[in-house]
Amino acid sequence: MQIPHKSVVLVADGRKMLFLRNEGDADHPNLIVEQKQRQDNPSNTEQTTHRAGQASSTQGGVRSSVEPTDFHQIEEDRFAADAADMLKMRAFDNDYESLIIVAPPRTLGEMRKHYHKEVSDRLSGEIDKDLTGHPIDEIETIIQKA
């Protein structure tokens, strides 16, 4: 996949996002970090104090477990929605014409739920990989090979 000059590349997962801009050309990208954001999101066991409860039926005394709330996942989903909102605001400001998003499948799916038309119209590509821990030169190479 080519990365057009001045394109924005968002590399994100449920806790980290990295906004990059291609200062090179489509054949020789040079991604420069514009913005970094990281959210502390402890594991679910660190965020909860009680075990999942049980529910009873008034008919026949049937008991069943109640699915525990995954607070960690809720925060990751909120973070993905916030990233989509940031993309919308930057699109409204005409900050970019071309956008590439790189995120793990679950995060990418959550972000898609929140894409504004202005973001969708500028979206050049999506890559469903977690590259938040990779160096910038590897990110460039992986995008080009996608």
Side-chain angles (χ1 to χ4, degrees):
M1 172 183 313
Q2 293 219 328
I3 310 169
H5 178 66
K6 294 294 184 185
S7 290
V8 167
V9 176
L10 172 63
V11 179
D13 63 14
R15 293 179 298 171
K16 296 177 267 183
M17 71 176 97
L18 187 61
F19 283 92
L20 308 167
R21 171 110 32 203
N22 184 14
E23 294 297 337
D25 60 29
D27 294 323
H28 300 94
N30 180 26
L31 296 179
I32 304 297
V33 176
E34 285 190 334
Q35 181 181 355
K36 295 182 203 179
Q37 189 171 339
R38 183 183 174 105
Q39 168 184 281
D40 287 331
N41 186 3
S43 69
N44 196 54
T45 56
E46 292 178 47
Q47 295 186 49
T48 58
T49 57
H50 297 76
R51 295 184 329 157
Q54 291 187 339
S56 304
S57 171
T58 57
Q59 298 175 341
V62 177
R63 299 188 74 144
S64 65
S65 293
V66 175
E67 186 69 28
T69 302
D70 188 341
F71 293 104
H72 179 78
Q73 189 60 55
I74 289 169
E75 280 303 304
E76 285 197 357
D77 291 348
R78 185 193 60 75
F79 192 75
D82 289 349
D85 192 53
M86 290 175 76
L87 290 171
K88 176 182 76 172
M89 299 312 292
R90 290 179 74 161
F92 284 160
D93 289 341
N94 287 316
D95 183 47
Y96 62 91
E97 291 181 24
S98 174
L99 170 68
I100 297 170
I101 299 175
V102 182
R106 181 175 177 105
T107 303
L108 194 55
E110 189 61 31
M111 287 179 67
R112 285 179 184 145
K113 294 178 190 177
H114 301 280
Y115 285 171
H116 187 275
K117 183 180 182 325
E118 288 292 324
V119 173
S120 297
D121 289 349
R122 298 163 196 247
L123 191 60
S124 299
E126 296 175 321
I127 300 173
D128 61 349
K129 291 183 184 261
D130 185 356
L131 299 182
T132 55
H134 288 66
I136 303 298
D137 61 331
E138 283 184 28
I139 294 171
E140 289 172 357
T141 302
I142 291 168
I143 293 172
Q144 285 184 299
K145 290 180 178 178

